[in-house]
Amino acid sequence: MKNILKLSPKSARNFFLKEESYCNFDLPPYFTFKKVIKNISKQVDGKLLSDFYGSTTHPDTGKQKATYPSDFENVNYKFLNNKDGKFAWRPFQLVHPALYVSLVHRITEKDNWDTITKRFEKFDKNKKIKCHSIPLKVNGKSSDKNVIVYNWWQSVEQQSIVLALKYEYILHIDIADCYGSLYTHSIAWALHTKNEAKKNKNDKKFIGNIIDKHLQDMSFGQTNGIPQGSVLMDFIAEIVLGYADLELSKKIKRLEIDYQIIRYRDDYRIFTNNPQEAELIVKNITEIITELGMRLNSQKTLLSNNVIQDSIKADKLYWMVSKKGAKSLQQHLLVIHQLAKKYPNSGSLSKSLDKFFNRLDRLKTTKENMSVLVSIIIDIAYKNPRTYPIVAAILSKLFLIIDSKKEKRDLLKKIKVKFYKIPNTGYLQIWLQRIVLKDKKSHVFREILCEKVNDTNISIWNSDWLNASLSKIIEETDIINLKTMRSLKETIESKEVQLFKGAFPDS
């Protein structure tokens, strides 16, 4: 694997234009964005996206006026994924492919890529603040997600344990709603310094301004928040967070304290030899990120003098102790249910469900009550939306064991009714649709991406601001692969959903 900052502009462009980079949350395999990205990339190569803007007639003067994406709502496709089974949610976005490709092309122009990589060299100068969340280019057969998990385990968890040799205290903090609150003008500050960015705020050649403009074009002109759901946006967030690291280095240098910080995206681990120094560092972080439109999440702050124990996530420790001894499927699921209750939406919960799925993979029949197992697994998913894909896979395995079609349909109906009680469950509907894909009975799902599966003519992006040539490419390029859809089995296979296969040593 290779840090993308070490890539040439051409290789970086190819990396960001990968389908897996465009959409980094799980969708069934018949959703494909490879063709639309490739077709648009070919069309806009060497040109500005503004060359493809449409036009409209001004009502007063009768003159032709360009249509700008920032004047249109719903340019990106958004769906809200419920976070807790109540009223908190996280917006996933499929960025408008024309804006996505254009932004990738502009970022990876030679001069712009040089500006970005040189700036990251400055962000990384202080070896006492280590960032381990720069995207990685994967070589070989490993999936991008697999490598991300392994990199986190190796660089964050394992390195944190090593730091117990030197430091007595660890302080965990993270930024609340980092992507949703990031101030887009701060990207230019990060890449060109604040003074230069302010002096040249109208310079259309500054890559910081180019990125800012693209982000506003995706968001109806708004300057707060960036889309979540792509590697490109993860990288743009790193530009601002790297800048925050640089500003923090300057402030801490004056304090003359012994410390080490490991940052993974918006999560910080601060190591010191006394708690007051750790809290002083947090004070400085707070001052810096406030100027960037962000704030710390007070509910996720943890100070501990047990560096070894608290270097390992609490949910992981709990699962390591609790997983032993569950013999029946129901016992196994009930242990996972307790983990879900104690540590909702945690990495260990996803991994435990992954293990349960593998157990079902070897099972052909069972005398256990299927309705009970379905009820337990659905209750887990109800409050843990992060688990929707793997829960859907487990359900498909359980449904395979049930002989009666009527029983399957009755259970599915109960599941749909249960989830209609909570808002923003479009992501779950996408995976429920995958479960019943081979069922000849008609199933209705309200999520637009589900409707797209049944009617490829439905548009999910607003392209009214584009001219006919580019909008036609988007409209006529299928993002549903019917051949893949027809080839899928009734049950969801491991390659569709498994994240942790070979990701890191079992524990």
Side-chain angles (χ1 to χ4, degrees):
M1 56 188 177
K2 194 173 187 180
N3 184 313
I4 63 161
L5 295 170
K6 305 297 182 186
L7 299 178
S8 67
K10 183 180 179 182
S11 295
R13 178 173 295 188
N14 291 338
F15 172 80
F16 284 124
L17 291 177
K18 284 197 316 177
E19 186 174 33
E20 297 86 352
S21 297
Y22 171 72
C23 174
N24 64 356
F25 54 90
D26 289 323
L27 290 173
Y30 41 81
F31 287 97
T32 176
F33 305 99
K34 188 175 181 178
K35 272 190 185 177
V36 71
I37 292 167
K38 182 181 178 180
N39 292 347
I40 293 171
S41 183
K42 187 177 179 181
Q43 187 78 1
V44 305
D45 193 23
K47 302 184 181 80
L48 296 175
L49 187 59
S50 55
D51 297 339
F52 298 91
Y53 287 177
S55 61
T56 185
T57 304
H58 194 283
D60 298 327
T61 64
K63 293 181 179 179
Q64 290 292 297
K65 175 180 174 285
T67 49
Y68 298 95
S70 58
D71 293 332
F72 290 79
E73 290 189 272
N74 302 317
V75 169
N76 290 354
Y77 178 71
K78 308 179 186 76
F79 64 93
L80 296 170
N81 182 35
N82 194 284
K83 284 174 70 175
D84 59 0
K86 296 178 184 175
F87 301 103
W89 53 81
R90 173 180 287 116
F92 284 142
Q93 295 193 36
L94 293 171
V95 175
H96 193 289
L99 282 166
Y100 183 89
V101 170
S102 171
L103 182 51
V104 169
H105 278 230
R106 298 305 304 275
I107 283 174
T108 55
E109 289 171 10
K110 186 180 184 308
D111 288 347
N112 292 338
W113 188 244
D114 286 347
T115 296
I116 291 169
T117 53
K118 284 175 183 174
R119 194 62 174 152
F120 268 98
E121 286 174 11
K122 290 198 172 183
F123 297 162
D124 196 39
K125 273 269 173 84
N126 181 1
K127 300 307 175 186
K128 290 194 141 312
I129 301 177
K130 297 299 295 180
C131 165
H132 292 292
S133 44
I134 303 299
L136 299 168
K137 180 178 182 292
V138 179
N139 298 316
K141 295 182 179 179
S142 295
S143 71
D144 288 0
K145 290 180 182 179
N146 222 339
V147 169
I148 288 167
V149 173
Y150 181 79
N151 178 54
W152 182 90
W153 176 78
Q154 190 75 266
S155 303
V156 179
E157 182 186 283
Q158 297 296 289
Q159 190 55 35
S160 295
I161 294 171
V162 171
L163 287 172
L165 290 168
K166 187 175 180 183
Y167 296 102
E168 298 292 327
Y169 290 88
I170 180 172
L171 176 58
H172 292 265
I173 58 170
D174 86 345
I175 297 171
D177 189 25
C178 177
Y179 287 50
S181 57
L182 189 149
Y183 184 47
T184 62
H185 290 342
S186 67
I187 296 162
W189 304 350
L191 289 174
H192 310 291
T193 75
K194 196 171 185 178
N195 288 337
E196 281 298 304
K198 284 184 173 287
K199 278 194 290 184
N200 297 278
K201 62 182 180 181
N202 295 317
D203 190 332
K204 294 181 180 179
K205 293 181 181 178
F206 266 39
I207 183 56
N209 294 339
I210 292 168
I211 296 171
D212 187 3
K213 177 67 168 63
H214 276 75
L215 293 171
Q216 291 182 54
D217 284 346
M218 297 172 192
S219 306
F220 202 34
Q222 293 180 30
T223 57
N224 281 90
I226 65 173
Q228 189 166 351
S230 70
V231 175
L232 179 62
M233 293 302 149
D234 293 341
F235 182 65
I236 289 170
E238 286 298 339
I239 292 173
V240 176
L241 293 167
Y243 173 63
D245 292 345
L246 180 62
E247 294 300 298
L248 181 61
S249 294
K250 294 174 187 174
K251 282 178 172 278
I252 298 181
K253 193 174 182 180
R254 298 193 292 266
L255 300 176
E256 296 184 353
I257 58 178
D258 185 20
Y259 71 97
Q260 184 73 45
I261 296 172
I262 294 176
R263 181 177 64 77
Y264 192 90
R265 293 190 185 149
D266 56 353
D267 290 317
Y268 294 77
R269 295 179 174 210
I270 302 165
F271 301 84
T272 61
N273 279 313
N274 87 52
Q276 289 75 31
E277 289 178 345
E279 289 168 0
L280 188 57
I281 291 172
V282 172
K283 177 180 177 291
N284 282 279
I285 291 173
T286 301
E287 291 170 356
I288 292 163
I289 65 170
T290 298
E291 285 197 25
L292 305 174
M294 299 179 282
R295 61 184 175 81
L296 292 182
N297 186 343
S298 59
Q299 293 182 332
K300 290 191 177 180
T301 300
L302 170 70
L303 176 66
S304 169
N305 63 354
N306 190 332
V307 177
I308 295 286
Q309 178 176 295
D310 289 300
S311 288
I312 303 170
K313 286 189 172 182
D315 58 282
K316 185 175 180 181
L317 281 173
Y318 178 86
W319 177 244
M320 287 163 67
V321 173
S322 303
K323 67 180 181 179
K324 313 270 191 305
K327 293 180 181 178
S328 71
L329 293 175
Q330 187 178 146
Q331 286 173 335
H332 194 163
L333 269 185
L334 286 171
V335 173
I336 296 173
H337 188 274
Q338 282 299 106
L339 173 66
K341 185 178 177 182
K342 194 170 178 66
Y343 300 103
N345 282 310
S346 62
S348 291
L349 175 57
S350 297
K351 188 179 180 185
S352 67
L353 289 167
D354 209 54
K355 295 282 187 185
F356 185 77
F357 174 78
N358 287 337
R359 182 178 177 182
L360 288 181
D361 219 19
R362 301 185 293 269
L363 194 71
K364 302 299 179 188
T365 184
T366 178
K367 292 180 180 179
E368 295 196 45
N369 188 318
M370 288 292 106
S371 295
V372 170
L373 298 180
V374 168
S375 182
I376 297 169
I377 195 69
I378 286 301
D379 198 61
I380 291 170
Y382 193 79
K383 299 180 180 70
N384 299 272
R386 174 179 177 171
T387 66
Y388 287 167
I390 189 65
V391 163
I394 289 168
L395 282 174
S396 75
K397 295 287 184 187
L398 294 177
F399 280 8
L400 189 65
I401 297 169
I402 300 171
D403 291 326
S404 166
K405 284 188 177 181
K406 183 180 183 303
E407 186 181 352
K408 290 180 190 178
R409 287 170 180 166
D410 286 346
L411 284 169
L412 186 66
K413 184 179 178 181
K414 288 175 183 175
I415 292 167
K416 289 166 75 173
V417 168
K418 183 178 177 74
F419 277 91
Y420 281 147
K421 296 174 187 174
I422 58 175
N424 307 317
T425 56
Y427 192 41
L428 176 71
Q429 290 182 50
I430 290 167
W431 283 99
L432 287 178
Q433 184 183 47
R434 166 63 187 94
I435 294 174
V436 299
L437 204 61
K438 298 296 180 179
D439 191 344
K440 292 178 182 178
K441 180 179 168 62
S442 176
H443 295 272
V444 177
F445 297 97
R446 298 171 186 169
E447 165 58 41
I448 292 175
L449 281 178
C450 293
E451 293 178 4
K452 180 78 173 171
V453 172
N454 298 321
D455 181 359
T456 56
N457 293 317
I458 289 174
S459 297
I460 65 168
W461 299 290
N462 183 349
S463 298
D464 291 345
W465 51 279
L466 283 172
N467 66 19
S469 65
L470 204 57
S471 61
K472 187 179 180 183
I473 289 173
I474 294 166
E475 287 168 13
E476 293 184 354
T477 306
D478 289 333
I479 63 166
I480 306 297
N481 189 321
L482 296 177
K483 186 178 178 182
T484 299
M485 207 157 76
R486 286 192 287 265
S487 70
L488 292 175
K489 296 179 180 178
E490 183 179 353
T491 56
I492 298 175
E493 296 180 286
S494 60
K495 63 184 178 183
E496 295 183 52
V497 295
Q498 277 195 294
L499 170 60
F500 296 101
K501 189 176 180 182
F504 47 74
D506 195 17
S507 51

